[in-house]
Amino acid sequence: MLLAIGSDVHGTKDGRPQKLMIKLKGEVREIDYRKGETILDAALRAGLFPPFACQEGVCASCKATVKSGRILMLKHEALTPLEADQQNIFTCTAAAISDETVVSFDE
Ligand code: FES
């Protein structure tokens, strides 16, 4: 089941974001994002070390918060409706679909 999270719905024409900002351990980094990859994969490819384990949307180790932009979660078995309302995502199953997306692993 797909779940869209976020308030800024200004996506690009092809759905690919132009910027992905990651906040991790107090630092903010703008990284390259490739259409279709997960937020976690983009962060790892950029050399960041966010927490993760199962990479299947089950364990919640990779949970982060959407600060701006729009995210599409492909799988979210362990995410409660309240967590989704609070802009929480599992980055291992989430794709960025807006021009600018900011995700924080610190909250
Ligand atoms: S790594 Fe387990 S839910 Fe993302």
Side-chain angles (χ1 to χ4, degrees):
M1 179 182 200
L2 297 176
L3 174 65
I5 294 177
S7 55
D8 179 5
V9 293
H10 303 294
T12 59
K13 287 180 182 172
D14 64 356
R16 184 177 57 84
Q18 296 174 338
K19 290 185 188 177
L20 176 58
M21 306 288 286
I22 301 283
K23 183 177 181 187
L24 178 65
K25 298 177 184 168
E27 295 186 20
V28 178
R29 232 175 102 189
E30 181 178 329
I31 65 173
D32 176 41
Y33 182 84
R34 297 175 183 164
K35 183 180 178 181
E37 71 182 340
T38 66
I39 301 295
L40 178 63
D41 285 344
L44 293 172
R45 185 174 42 73
L48 301 177
F49 298 99
F52 70 95
C54 72
Q55 294 187 271
E56 295 181 3
V58 176
C59 73
S61 299
C62 66
K63 188 164 71 173
T65 304
V66 179
K67 304 312 266 181
S68 68
R70 191 159 173 84
I71 294 290
L72 189 62
M73 283 189 56
L74 307 175
K75 186 176 180 182
H76 50 89
E77 291 179 13
L79 194 66
T80 68
L82 178 60
E83 289 175 315
D85 286 347
Q86 294 170 338
Q87 310 296 307
N88 291 312
I89 60 168
F90 294 160
T91 58
C92 69
T93 65
I97 56 171
S98 55
D99 286 342
E100 293 188 21
T101 304
V102 180
V103 173
S104 175
F105 284 90
D106 290 351
E107 296 153 42

